[in-house]
Amino acid sequence: MSNPSLLILAGDGIGPEVMAEVKRVIDWYGTKRDMVFDVSEDLVGGCAYDKHGTPLHDDTMAKAQEVDAVLLGAVGGPQYDDLDFSLKPERGLLRLRKEMDLFSNLRPAQCFDALADFSSLKRDVVAGLDIMIVRELTSGVYFGEPRGIHTEGNERVGINTQRYTESEIARVARSAFELARRRSNKVCSMEKANVMESGVLWRQVVTEVHQKEYQDVELSHMYADAGAMQLCRWPKQFDVIVTDNLFGDLLSDAAAMLTGSLGMLPSASLGLPMANGRPKALYEPVHGSAPDIAGQGKANPIACILSFAMALRYSFDAGSEADRLEQAVERVLADGARTADLLGPEDGTPISTTVMGDRILAALDASL
Ligand code: IPM
Ligand code: MG
């Protein structure tokens, strides 16, 4: 049998720096755990635009469709701000999500005990937090038509369309219910059914799927604005949150801060099973390209490393190896390892991206 294949798209800004640490972790699994991956690398985002004039070359898209999993760093940077919309770095990422049909985006927000005091919320509000946001990723206002900017009379009008079909809602709802069954068995669905027809349909379809297939799971509904408020007030009331593309984008950034830093949050974007039974999959940190600190060795590689742990769990059926990696991260944090994003102004000297990688590898070694 051939080795499982990975396509690494490190992208822009801090993407390559944090991905360099992930590559060391991948090598560690090859040499120490006999889990060898066939790794290839390519470009996405601004760096792809610089080389090819497009944020995602067709050949790269084709490769992404063939591998067992894609690992992505980050895309974007201020030098691309004035590009036409279709050429912006973000379009490369959105094309991958859309064409791979990665409809279920898992964004876990877990508060490591060592960071509970660093969250902007009080320790008892966040300590032990473990929630999962399931964000619909291939539809909604991100992709709906019509869209664009045109002129009506003597002024410009900007248009985007929120559009969801029943089947799009049903499939992401199912993936949330399935996940909940393996966790605390609770799903909260968030939309704005009070003002949006797409929200009314969302609530109806989630309720129908629940009635027909998942009555054993506890289901509740919340308007997304109230959901944002509840996430800050008492986040531990949630287990799995399922929501649309745009609300999921916002709510997951908010949830990230509960855990102490955006530099901590991994994600998995999953689609339908391929011929080999593995789901189409892309793994990426929730943080962006952070151009202000790029190239300085300041970035926190943990979100990207934890994204690889999610790959072990969801693509490669290696849950205990994923646990090993997550526990290694937990251990180095408990030992006080802190990149700059995990320190306040008076909190001492941060370690670099590479040193954080060193520490995590040492903790992996110690786990053997
Ligand atoms: C995210 C990001 C992306 C999004 C951007 C980079 C297109 O914010 O993954 O949360 O809006 O989906
Ligand atoms: Mg976002």
Side-chain angles (χ1 to χ4, degrees), residues 303-360:
C304 205
I305 289 174
L306 291 176
S307 300
F308 178 64
M310 291 188 87
L312 292 172
R313 178 170 291 118
Y314 293 105
S315 283
F316 302 116
D317 219 13
S320 57
E321 295 300 338
D323 291 345
R324 179 197 299 282
L325 184 50
E326 287 162 1
Q327 283 157 15
V329 168
E330 193 162 2
R331 197 157 324 122
V332 302
L333 291 171
D335 289 346
R338 298 284 186 273
T339 41
D341 57 307
L342 301 176
L343 288 173
E346 322 268 279
D347 290 346
T349 322
I351 61 173
S352 70
T353 312
T354 328
V355 173
M356 184 61 99
D358 294 343
R359 301 270 174 96
I360 292 169

Side-chain angles (χ1 to χ4, degrees), residues 3-16:
N3 298 324
S5 54
L6 293 173
L7 173 63
I8 291 186
L9 304 173
D12 306 320
I14 60 170

Side-chain angles (χ1 to χ4, degrees), residues 216-348:
D216 56 302
V217 181
E218 189 186 315
L219 172 66
S220 59
H221 303 273
M222 228 179 244
Y223 297 138
D225 54 343
M229 183 272 284
Q230 290 296 341
L231 263 179
C232 301
R233 193 184 73 87
W234 189 244
K236 285 187 250 181
Q237 70 187 279
F238 299 113
D239 178 26
V240 175
I241 293 172
V242 63
T243 189
D244 77 13
N245 205 341
L246 183 60
F247 294 140
D249 183 43
L250 306 180
L251 293 169
S252 62
D253 264 31
M257 262 338 268
L258 305 174
T259 71
S261 164
L262 196 50
M264 295 294 299
L265 242 76
S267 80
S269 306
L270 306 176
L272 297 169
M274 300 184 281
N276 62 11
R278 294 187 173 120
K280 277 262 162 76
L282 179 147
Y283 299 88
E284 56 174 322
V286 171
H287 65 65
S289 59
D292 52 322
I293 58 161
Q296 300 170 41
K298 289 185 181 165
N300 182 352
I302 290 180
C304 205
I305 289 174
L306 291 176
S307 300
F308 178 64
M310 291 188 87
L312 292 172
R313 178 170 291 118
Y314 293 105
S315 283
F316 302 116
D317 219 13
S320 57
E321 295 300 338
D323 291 345
R324 179 197 299 282
L325 184 50
E326 287 162 1
Q327 283 157 15
V329 168
E330 193 162 2
R331 197 157 324 122
V332 302
L333 291 171
D335 289 346
R338 298 284 186 273
T339 41
D341 57 307
L342 301 176
L343 288 173
E346 322 268 279
D347 290 346

Side-chain angles (χ1 to χ4, degrees), residues 90 93 97 107 135 142 249:
E90 290 78 3
L93 175 57
R97 291 173 177 174
R107 299 190 160 192
R135 167 187 178 194
Y142 272 60
D249 183 43

